[in-house]
């Protein structure tokens, strides 16, 4: 029997429709916390061994199948994907597959929450264009992020889906490998899977979604037990709330050989979600109170207290340049405190001009003016510099080469506090201690460590933390769902666990 020929491609974006910064083609081309746009056989070298779905798929499939690598591309989460960027990358994928010759199947590494200028369901539109090329029957296995906002149409166009089961996403490569097993089942049977799709009737805020906490840990833990015999797979996407689109929210998908069995599994999972509603809780505390609480804990603690700044998390499409939490650290007189990474290319460049040991007057942050935000104008001393190129070491990004542009450690010169801020030039969330360590800050030697991240930081920082405190500071990743000015949600959805019913009349 000849080896199956499988085309592989990836196109990932998590779109925050409230972000003031659109996502352009150049953002997909560039590297940052993720590899740059990669084509054809370069894909094998770049993705081998990485915790990225395409890497997991390739490593699982390469010995058995002939893989035809097309393209992989990802941009840091941000605002609407420019239509020309989507059209260009979608065309490269579709053309590459059209020119690939006879194929037995396709694997796609997608996100599930891509919104373009013209399409609320970016992944659905990509699959529509791809089906125009390959027809309705060719098996297409897709892996997705846990934050996908899925639509019924997208589920219909895919042959099978595998979704991350961890947040922080430590199982991205494992999900790619799972997609390989599911595609193998489809190739072996020659029959399409029966499918089930269910949508939850309430949105779950990002900061309540961690699978290292309840109820996320228990809910995702139920999935393997619902699989077996006629159910090939069942998955749950918690969804990505800062997306003002009709299908925003959590969903369940199941695939298998019998319709009744996949329907039953999906209904069981949906019921478990509905019964868990009151267990989700929102941990946000106003920034100054959060810093005071963290200082109190840190006073007698042996380990650092981690302060998260979820509303300015670039990993959810915020800018990463707001100073609310930084100002609170200075105002409250925090000592042995550091914050990273704050996106500010101009200040980073000034620090590099000034050199280590020099002082200058900095205007930190607020690079993209946003409501209720302002720069922190302050004297700083440059303590360390880097070119932003280093290796991530944590459980999520470990092994990936970071390219965060010019970076600097700045000590804020202030009599009452001792606060250091790490500034960088390419937007990235802090989910890995290497962002601090590579530039000379050992997080374990700090009292307070502030990170611009909502949940991903937990994978690498929870093990060194005395406690984690979530601060509410300004940013474009709004976490109080009932305060978000949604206009396009479906009418019956509720804004958060036990939250109010969305009403489009509230416009
Ligand atoms: Zn995600």
């Amino acid at each position: 029997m000849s080896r199956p020929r499988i085309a592989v491609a990836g196109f990932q974006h998590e779109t925050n429709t409230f972000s003031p910064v659109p996502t352009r083609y150049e953002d997909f081309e560039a590297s940052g916390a993720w590899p740059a746009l990669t084509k054809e056989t370069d894909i094998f070298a770049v993705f081998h061994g990485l915790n990225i779905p395409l890497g997991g798929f390739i490593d699982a499939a390469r010995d058995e199948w002939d893989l035809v690598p097309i393209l992989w591309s990802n941009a840091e989460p941000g605002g609407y994907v420019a239509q020309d960027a989507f059209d260009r990358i979608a065309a490269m994928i579709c053309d590459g597959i059209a020119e690939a010759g006879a194929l037995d199947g396709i694997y796609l590494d997608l996100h599930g929450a891509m919104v373009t200028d013209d399409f609320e369901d970016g992944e659905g539109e990509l699959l529509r264009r791809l089906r125009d090329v390959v027809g309705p029957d060719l098996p297409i296995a897709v892996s997705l992020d846990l934050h996908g906002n899925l639509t019924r149409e997208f589920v219909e166009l895919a042959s099978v889906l595998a979704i991350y089961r961890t947040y922080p996403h430590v199982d991205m490569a494992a999900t790619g490998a799972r997609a390989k097993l599911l595609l193998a089942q489809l190739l072996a049977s020659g029959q399409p899977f029966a499918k089930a799709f269910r949508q939850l009737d309430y949105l779950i805020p990002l900061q309540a979604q961690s699978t290292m906490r309840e109820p996320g840990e228990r809910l995702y833990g139920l999935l393997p037990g619902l699989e077996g015999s006629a159910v090939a797979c069942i998955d749950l996407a918690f969804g990505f709330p800062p997306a003002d689109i009709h299908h925003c929210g959590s969903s369940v998908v199941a695939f298998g050989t019998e319709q009744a069995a996949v329907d039953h599994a999906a209904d069981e999972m949906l019921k478990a979600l509905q019964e868990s509603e009151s267990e989700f809780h929102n941990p946000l505390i106003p920034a100054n109170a959060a810093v005071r609480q963290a200082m109190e804990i840190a006073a007698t603690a042996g380990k650092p207290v981690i302060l998260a700044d979820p509303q300015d998390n670039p990993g959810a499409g915020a800018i990463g340049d707001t100073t609310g939490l930084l100002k609170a650290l200075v105002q409250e007189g925090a000592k042995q405190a550091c914050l990273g990474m704050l996106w500010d290319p101009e200040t980073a460049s000034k620090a590099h001009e000034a050199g280590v040991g020099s002082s200058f007057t900095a205007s930190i942050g607020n690079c993209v003016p946003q409501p209720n935000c302002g720069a922190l104008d302050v004297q700083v001393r440059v303590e360390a510099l880097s070119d932003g190129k280093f290796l991530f070491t944590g459980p999520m990004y470990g092994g990936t080469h970071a390219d965060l542009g010019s970076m600097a450690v700045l000590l804020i010169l202030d009599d009452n506090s001792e606060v250091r801020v790490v500034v960088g030039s390419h937007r990235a969330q802090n989910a890995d201690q290497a962002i601090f360590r590579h530039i000379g800050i050992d997080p374990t030697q700090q009292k307070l460590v502030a990170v611009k991240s909502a949940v991903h930081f937990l994978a690498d920082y929870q093990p060194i933390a005395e406690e984690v405190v979530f601060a509410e500071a300004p940013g474009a990743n709004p976490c109080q769902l009932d305060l978000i000015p949604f206009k396009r949600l479906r009418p019956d959805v509720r804004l958060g666990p036990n939250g109010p019913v969305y009403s489009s009349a509230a416009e």
Side-chain angles (χ1 to χ4, degrees):
M1 191 182 133
S2 66
R3 284 158 65 95
R5 268 189 106 235
I6 307 295
V8 300
F11 185 13
Q12 285 216 13
H13 194 250
E14 182 177 77
T15 307
N16 175 335
T17 67
F18 298 96
S19 165
V21 180
T23 304
R24 309 152 304 165
Y25 180 76
E26 304 88 272
D27 300 315
F28 285 98
E29 262 191 322
S31 60
W34 301 85
L37 189 146
T38 310
K39 287 182 182 171
E40 300 171 4
T41 49
D42 285 348
I43 284 174
F44 291 133
V46 171
F47 288 86
H48 169 63
L50 292 187
N51 181 29
I52 290 180
L54 181 60
F57 183 91
I58 288 173
D59 289 345
R62 220 178 155 183
D63 288 344
E64 294 169 51
W65 296 345
D66 287 335
L67 301 182
V68 185
I70 308 290
L71 169 146
W72 185 93
S73 171
N74 169 304
E76 185 71 8
Y80 284 95
V81 174
Q83 195 55 43
D84 71 299
F86 176 83
D87 290 341
R88 215 167 142 187
I89 296 168
M92 286 194 267
I93 293 173
C94 291
D95 293 350
I97 285 172
E99 290 157 13
L103 292 170
D104 298 294
I106 296 171
Y107 163 68
L108 297 177
D109 171 4
L110 306 181
H111 185 286
M114 186 191 301
V115 184
T116 76
D117 289 335
D118 295 349
F119 300 99
E120 286 195 353
D121 179 9
E123 286 82 2
E125 179 59 22
L126 176 68
L127 277 192
R128 269 189 291 280
R129 293 181 189 190
L130 198 50
R131 284 292 182 201
D132 283 345
V133 173
V134 302
D137 301 326
L138 188 75
I140 301 180
V142 184
S143 62
L144 292 173
D145 193 284
L146 170 149
H147 294 113
N149 291 321
L150 307 191
T151 69
R152 184 173 296 280
E153 193 177 8
F154 169 74
V155 175
E156 285 304 320
L157 288 162
S159 306
V160 69
L161 303 175
I163 301 177
Y164 308 164
R165 291 174 172 179
T166 59
Y167 182 27
H169 304 328
V170 292
D171 68 334
M172 292 188 280
T175 306
R178 211 151 50 81
K180 185 262 169 183
L181 293 177
L182 293 165
L183 183 54
Q185 271 180 264
L186 284 171
L187 296 180
S189 79
Q191 295 295 318
F193 280 141
K195 304 171 182 179
F197 175 65
R198 305 283 187 271
Q199 286 177 303
L200 185 65
D201 57 359
Y202 64 89
L203 306 183
I204 305 171
L206 288 175
Q207 69 277 16
Q209 292 184 355
S210 175
T211 58
M212 290 173 68
R213 312 226 157 159
E214 294 300 355
E217 186 173 11
R218 189 187 70 251
L219 288 167
Y220 276 86
L222 293 174
L223 294 168
L226 292 167
E227 293 176 342
S229 61
V231 181
C233 65
I234 173 163
D235 270 316
L236 162 63
F238 264 162
F240 187 64
D244 193 9
I245 56 173
H246 188 81
H247 288 288
C248 180
S250 306
S251 56
V252 177
V253 289
F255 297 82
T257 50
E258 286 173 23
Q259 189 63 50
V262 295
D263 279 335
H264 177 72
D267 287 335
E268 287 292 302
M269 193 64 228
L270 187 69
K271 195 168 122 216
L273 270 165
Q274 285 161 339
E275 289 172 356
S276 305
E277 182 165 358
S278 55
E279 281 180 70
F280 288 99
H281 82 284
N282 181 352
L284 287 194
I285 304 170
N288 284 72
V291 170
R292 286 196 298 273
Q293 184 179 321
M295 286 169 68
E296 233 178 89
I297 301 165
T300 56
K303 295 195 279 183
V305 178
I306 312 296
L307 275 157
D309 189 0
Q311 298 205 122
D312 192 36
N313 168 23
I319 309 297
D321 69 341
T322 69
T323 56
L325 184 54
L326 184 63
K327 286 175 181 166
L329 287 165
V330 175
Q331 285 161 4
E332 300 297 335
K335 305 269 167 62
Q336 277 180 273
C338 62
L339 180 142
M341 185 186 87
L342 196 140
W343 178 70
D344 188 340
E346 206 179 309
T347 299
S349 152
K350 279 185 185 161
H352 277 253
E353 277 166 33
V356 172
S358 309
S359 301
F360 67 97
T361 307
S363 182
I364 300 172
N366 202 38
C367 306
V368 178
Q370 297 173 75
N372 308 316
C373 298
L376 174 60
D377 296 317
V378 72
Q379 237 354 68
V380 297
R381 186 163 69 232
V382 183
E383 290 196 331
L385 298 169
S386 90
D387 62 1
K389 291 187 166 65
F390 58 92
L391 203 61
F392 284 124
T393 53
M396 186 172 155
Y397 287 103
T400 302
H401 292 274
D403 179 6
L404 305 184
S406 292
M407 294 178 69
V409 177
L410 305 175
L411 173 67
I412 292 173
L413 297 174
D414 173 64
D415 289 342
N416 297 315
S417 64
E418 185 208 327
V419 179
R420 290 175 175 80
V421 57
V422 176
V423 292
S425 302
H426 298 167
R427 292 170 55 242
Q429 83 171 303
N430 188 340
D432 195 300
Q433 293 182 39
I435 284 183
F436 287 124
R437 287 184 184 278
H438 92 279
I439 198 164
I441 295 179
D442 178 350
T444 62
Q445 300 306 307
Q446 303 291 311
K447 286 279 186 197
L448 306 183
V449 177
V451 293
K452 288 192 180 283
S453 175
V455 168
H456 282 318
F457 72 95
L458 288 171
D460 203 24
Y461 286 94
Q462 180 82 67
I464 64 159
E466 180 76 21
E467 208 162 307
V468 174
V469 178
F470 291 81
E472 182 182 10
N477 173 33
C479 288
Q480 309 281 21
L481 300 187
D482 52 343
L483 301 179
I484 299 178
F486 288 111
K487 290 192 166 71
R488 304 174 67 93
L489 301 182
R490 56 190 184 280
D492 53 343
V493 78
R494 279 178 294 116
L495 304 177
N498 299 313
V501 175
Y502 167 69
S503 161
S504 52
E507 281 177 33

